[in-house]
Amino acid sequence: MGGPDGTEATAGSAPLARRNPVAKLAAALVFSVLLLATLDPVAPAVAIAVELAVVPLFGLGYRALLRRMAPLLLSAAGVLVTLTLFAAERTGTVLLTAGPVLVTSGVLVTALGLALRLLAVALPGVLVFATTDPTDLADALVQNVKAPPRFAIGALAAFRLVPMLAAEWQLLAMARRARGIDAGRNPVRRLRLFAATAFGLLVLAIRRGTRLATAMDARGFDAGIPRTSARRQRFGAADAALVVGAAIAAGGSLAVSFAAGVFRPVIG
């Protein structure tokens, strides 16, 4: 259901992409929260398989999803490597010994479980925000959840500004390069340049946020009077079914873990 290059989707025809934004957000939260009940790798692995199976129903291509998930994949790999090498407790069978490096089965299972759980918990959020129009989400929060309009509209404005931060980062980097400021292969200079660019981006973000807040106040967004909605966001039976289905899928993942005898509750 993605495009010819397997990247983006025909989102308008995707059945789950058409669901109410609040329903998609609630389903992602329910699915993610239930997975936090165990530390074993089986439950999140089953959950990831379910999530990947429904990706076409959200109208996303797998290559597009992979690009969006790249930072999370790096984070999960970092968690796996760090916990495997530097865990305080070494339980289970010794799998690898190389000088000071000691890898045991207990440490590997724990590290793998945390890495997979990170991906399983984050992937639903990626699917939701990749297939949800920010304006529809703000409208649904106000109409279906009765969120304060000031909060919903502020969240919408912040959501709209996120892509601009990436563009401004590139502009700052190009401007510094044009002035002859380049770290080359020196890691210390590269780190200092990164910190300076991040500080410059922070200043730009604060200035833009201040101007945006002033503009919104000038247009009466903080007037406190009832506001109307141009687009109705209805929460129907299909939306409720999506939330229930997410709970069932997460419960099924935990049931598989329990049946396999590897269920490790966080508490207890």
Side-chain angles (χ1 to χ4, degrees):
M1 308 225 4
D5 60 348
T7 54
E8 287 300 335
T10 53
S13 61
L16 294 186
R18 297 197 307 265
R19 299 276 62 82
N20 184 288
V22 168
K24 291 192 287 184
L25 188 61
L29 289 175
V30 169
F31 195 88
S32 301
V33 168
L34 289 179
L35 290 178
L36 298 178
T38 180
L39 295 174
D40 71 272
V42 174
V46 174
I48 291 174
V50 173
E51 293 163 356
L52 292 177
V54 301
V55 165
L57 298 180
F58 279 93
L60 275 180
Y62 285 105
R63 276 188 284 179
L65 179 65
L66 182 61
R67 287 201 304 269
R68 294 175 182 272
M69 289 286 294
L72 291 172
L73 292 174
L74 291 176
S75 300
V79 169
L80 178 62
V81 172
T82 302
L83 291 180
T84 301
L85 296 180
F86 303 108
E89 297 183 2
R90 303 285 174 173
T91 59
T93 306
V94 177
L95 302 177
L96 175 65
T97 302
V101 178
L102 176 65
V103 179
T104 64
S105 58
V107 169
L108 186 60
V109 169
T110 300
L112 184 61
L114 291 175
L116 290 176
R117 187 167 61 162
L118 171 63
L119 294 176
V121 169
L123 183 53
V126 174
L127 292 175
V128 169
F129 287 103
T131 59
T132 302
D133 182 80
T135 303
D136 290 340
L137 178 59
D139 288 341
L141 288 174
V142 173
Q143 297 174 36
N144 303 132
V145 188
K146 306 304 179 184
R150 183 178 184 181
F151 165 78
I153 297 173
L156 168 62
F159 197 83
R160 292 289 193 188
L161 289 177
V162 169
M164 300 180 65
L165 293 178
E168 289 180 345
W169 179 277
Q170 292 181 350
L171 288 176
L172 286 172
M174 293 172 61
R176 292 178 182 275
R177 192 175 299 114
R179 295 185 179 94
I181 304 175
D182 192 1
R185 297 184 178 181
N186 189 321
V188 177
R189 291 185 60 187
R190 188 180 295 273
L191 181 61
R192 293 177 58 185
L193 182 59
F194 176 85
T197 306
F199 180 76
L201 183 65
L202 176 62
V203 172
L204 289 176
I206 293 174
R207 289 177 178 174
R208 186 181 295 275
T210 302
R211 291 196 299 267
L212 179 61
T214 303
M216 292 177 66
D217 287 341
R219 289 172 172 81
F221 283 97
D222 197 26
I225 60 177
R227 306 187 62 86
T228 58
S229 299
R231 295 185 290 187
R232 297 297 302 170
Q233 298 291 333
R234 293 177 174 81
F235 193 99
D239 302 307
L242 175 60
V243 180
V244 174
I248 293 175
S253 301
L254 296 178
V256 171
S257 171
F258 189 81
V262 295
F263 183 79
R264 297 175 56 192
V266 175
I267 302 177

